[in-house]
Amino acid sequence: MNNFEYQNPVKIIFGKGEINKLGENIPEGAKILLTYGGGSIFKNGVYDQVKASVKGFDMIEFGGIEPNPHYETLMKAVEIVKNENITFLLSVGGGSVLDGTKFIAAAACFQKGDPWQILSRQSPVLDAVPIGAVLTLPATGSEMNGNAVVTRVETTEKLSFASQKVMPVFSILDPEVIFSLPDTQVANGIVDAFIHVIEQYLTYPVNSPIQDRFAESILTTLVEEGPKVMANRTDYEAAANFMWSATMALNGLIAVGVPQDWATHMIGHELTAYHGIDHARTLAIVLPGVMHINRVQKKDKILQLGKRVWGITEGNADERIDKTIQKTKEFFESVGIPTKLPDYGVSTDTIDKICTRFKKRGFKIGEKANLGPDEIRLILEDRL
Ligand code: NZQ
Ligand code: ZN
C-alpha cells in the first residue's frame, strides 16, 4: 500500500426528513446565497423544505445553473456574492449545482486575476466562501469531496479543479429526493458512481485488501440496488442504499494508498464539451475501450473484478477479461445507457478533435501515464 494522508471534514446528515436540520447547521447571522438549477426543486417540494428550515436568515436566490455548469453563468453569481457580501453558499440540487457553487465559492475569493485560472492553470485556491449542500441527485460524490467540474461554453472546454477549501461544511442527503428523478438521471447516477469506483480500483495491485473490498462492496451494492431503484422509485430502502453508495464512491476513502486512473473521465469530459452528452453516458462509452487497451496492464484487477463482482471464474485469462468487459457493458445497457459512439451521433471528426486536444496538452493519462493521443484514438475507435 502507498503512503497517504486522509482528512474528510464534511458532516453528512442522512435520512428521511433531515432537510429540516438545515437551519441549525448554518452559522448564525450568515448572509446566504441559495444556488439551484433549472427548477426541479420547486416541483418536488425540496425548495419548500429548505425555505421552512432557513426561516429568519437573510437569503438571496440564484437559479439557472445548468447541467455541466457554465463558467459564464457562475461568474454572474460571483458578482452577487461580492456585491451583496454573501457569507454562506447553500447549494440545493445535483452535482452540477454543487460543482458550480464550489467554483463560485473559490472564484469570489480569488485575488490573482481571472478565476478561470483556477481551472485552466490549477491556480491554488487559498480561500473560499463556506458551502452547505442539500443534494437532490446521487451520482457525483461532490457532496463529500473537494472536486468541481466546470464548462466554458465560449471555448468548449470542460475542466476540473480540486481543493479542500471547497469541501462542503455539511451535506444533507435525504433519499426521498430521488423519488422525483426521471429514469435517465437515476441511470446516470448508478453508472457515474460505478465508474468512480472503477477509476480508483481497476488499476494494478498494491496489496490493499481493505480498499479493494470496500470498492467491491460499493460496486455490488450498485449492481443489486440500482435496478430496484429503476423499477420502483419510491422504494426508500433501495434509494437510501443507492444514495450512500454514490457518496462512498467518491469521498476519497477508497482512493487512499492506491493508484488511480481517471482516463475514462478525462476522455469523457471531451465528449461532453463537444457534444453535450450527459457525463455518465460519456463514461459508459469510454470505459470499455480503456479496459480493452489496458487489458495487459490491468490484467490482475480486471480478473479480480470479473471474479468478485460478476462471478466470472471459467475460461483462460483472456476469455475472462473479455467476459468482464462484456458484463460491465451489459450492466450499463441494462439501465438504458448505450455504450457506442454512433448511439449518440458521434463520428470520427470528434475523435480527431479530441486527439488534437490531448496532443496539445502534451501529457499522458491513466495510472501509468501510458495513454497519449494515439492510444486515446484507439480507445475511441473501439467504440465506433
Ligand atoms: O437543474 P434541475 O432543474 O435541478 O434539474 C436537474 C438536471 O436537469 C435534474 N435533477 C436533479 N435533482 C433532481 C432532478 N430532477 C428531478 N428530481 C430531482 N431530485 O437532473 C438533471 C441533471 O443534474 P446534474 O446536477 O447535472 O447531474 P449530476 O448530479 O449527475 O451532475 C453532473 C455534473 O457533475 C460533474 C459532471 O462532470 C457534471 O458536470 N461531476 C462532478 C464530480 C465531483 N464534483 O466530484 C465527479 C463526477 O465525475 C462528475 O464529473
Ligand atoms: Zn463522474
Side-chain angles (χ1 to χ4, degrees):
M1 199 192 302
N2 303 329
N3 294 1
F4 65 86
E5 290 183 14
Y6 182 61
Q7 182 176 21
N8 194 319
V10 182
K11 175 178 179 181
I12 295 292
I13 303 163
F14 190 99
K16 202 183 286 199
E18 294 293 85
I19 296 174
N20 69 16
K21 293 201 179 138
L22 181 55
E24 67 196 69
N25 281 281
I26 297 176
E28 215 174 299
K31 183 161 184 196
I32 305 171
L33 182 68
L34 183 159
T35 51
Y36 64 94
S40 68
I41 62 165
F42 298 111
K43 292 182 208 138
N44 57 14
V46 171
Y47 176 81
D48 294 336
Q49 293 179 62
V50 166
K51 270 296 248 194
S53 187
V54 298
K55 226 177 236 164
F57 280 98
D58 191 358
M59 187 167 86
I60 301 174
E61 297 175 10
F62 181 85
I65 297 178
E66 311 80 1
N68 310 305
H70 296 173
Y71 165 78
E72 290 82 352
T73 305
L74 304 173
M75 287 306 289
K76 291 180 192 155
V78 170
E79 280 312 300
I80 298 174
V81 171
K82 287 182 180 170
N83 294 339
E84 300 288 339
N85 298 317
I86 296 295
T87 62
F88 195 85
L89 293 170
L90 175 59
S91 164
V92 185
S96 293
V97 173
L98 183 47
D99 280 15
T101 305
K102 290 175 177 177
F103 180 73
I104 297 165
C109 300
F110 192 70
Q111 305 282 3
K112 294 197 172 158
D114 183 355
W116 180 246
Q117 295 171 25
I118 296 169
L119 295 145
S120 65
R121 292 195 201 160
Q122 302 293 305
S123 294
V125 174
L126 302 177
D127 201 6
V129 181
I131 299 168
V134 175
L135 188 74
T136 63
L137 200 176
T140 64
S142 190
E143 64 278 12
M144 204 177 173
N145 69 38
N147 309 334
V149 197
V150 174
T151 295
R152 189 164 189 167
V153 179
E154 192 196 345
T155 54
T156 54
E157 285 172 287
K158 185 173 184 190
L159 301 176
S160 62
F161 78 99
S163 167
Q164 287 271 124
K165 299 273 179 199
V166 296
M167 291 178 94
V169 181
F170 62 83
S171 287
I172 302 186
L173 277 56
D174 178 345
E176 289 194 327
V177 295
I178 78 150
F179 294 177
S180 60
L181 279 176
D183 282 355
T184 51
Q185 295 302 342
V186 174
N188 284 349
I190 295 166
V191 169
D192 193 20
F194 188 95
I195 297 179
H196 291 158
V197 178
I198 291 286
E199 298 272 28
Q200 301 159 87
Y201 165 84
L202 204 70
T203 57
Y204 54 88
V206 291
N207 198 355
S208 52
I210 293 281
Q211 292 89 325
D212 281 9
R213 290 196 172 97
F214 277 178
E216 288 151 3
S217 73
I218 301 168
L219 295 173
T220 36
T221 304
L222 287 165
V223 171
E224 286 170 14
E225 302 292 320
K228 291 188 201 164
V229 181
M230 291 293 292
N232 178 5
R233 196 71 82 257
T234 54
D235 177 345
Y236 178 80
E237 293 302 325
N241 289 320
F242 166 42
M243 196 167 210
W244 189 227
S245 299
T247 302
M248 289 301 292
L250 198 51
N251 64 4
L253 190 66
I254 61 169
V256 299
V258 300
Q260 298 181 54
D261 182 341
W262 298 107
T264 299
H265 270 70
M266 293 199 66
I267 303 168
H269 286 171
E270 299 304 328
L271 288 171
T272 302
Y274 284 122
H275 288 275
I277 303 169
D278 287 358
H279 170 67
R281 286 159 202 261
T282 69
L283 308 178
I285 298 166
V286 176
L287 177 66
V290 170
M291 288 172 79
H292 181 63
I293 200 166
N294 278 330
R295 56 192 294 137
V296 175
Q297 177 183 312
K298 291 181 183 290
K299 178 180 169 196
D300 293 335
K301 291 307 267 297
I302 297 180
L303 292 173
Q304 186 175 321
L305 170 74
K307 184 173 172 204
R308 296 194 187 170
V309 175
W310 299 128
I312 297 167
T313 51
E314 306 274 303
N316 63 34
D318 239 7
E319 287 163 355
R320 281 186 280 149
I321 290 172
D322 283 338
K323 277 190 202 162
T324 304
I325 298 174
Q326 185 59 26
K327 275 292 242 180
T328 307
K329 264 191 296 196
E330 281 170 11
F331 176 58
F332 303 152
E333 282 157 7
S334 74
V335 293
I337 296 197
T339 62
K340 287 274 194 176
L341 284 166
D343 297 325
Y344 300 87
V346 178
S347 63
T348 46
D349 292 1
T350 304
I351 299 182
D352 293 341
K353 280 197 262 180
I354 293 176
C355 294
T356 306
R357 214 166 225 191
F358 276 103
K359 198 169 195 174
K360 268 197 199 136
R361 288 186 188 146
F363 58 83
K364 294 190 171 187
I365 57 176
E367 72 271 14
K368 291 208 166 149
N370 66 323
L371 304 178
D374 297 341
E375 294 76 19
I376 292 168
R377 178 176 297 282
L378 292 175
I379 289 166
L380 291 170
E381 284 176 355
D382 176 74
R383 312 309 305 140
L384 282 172

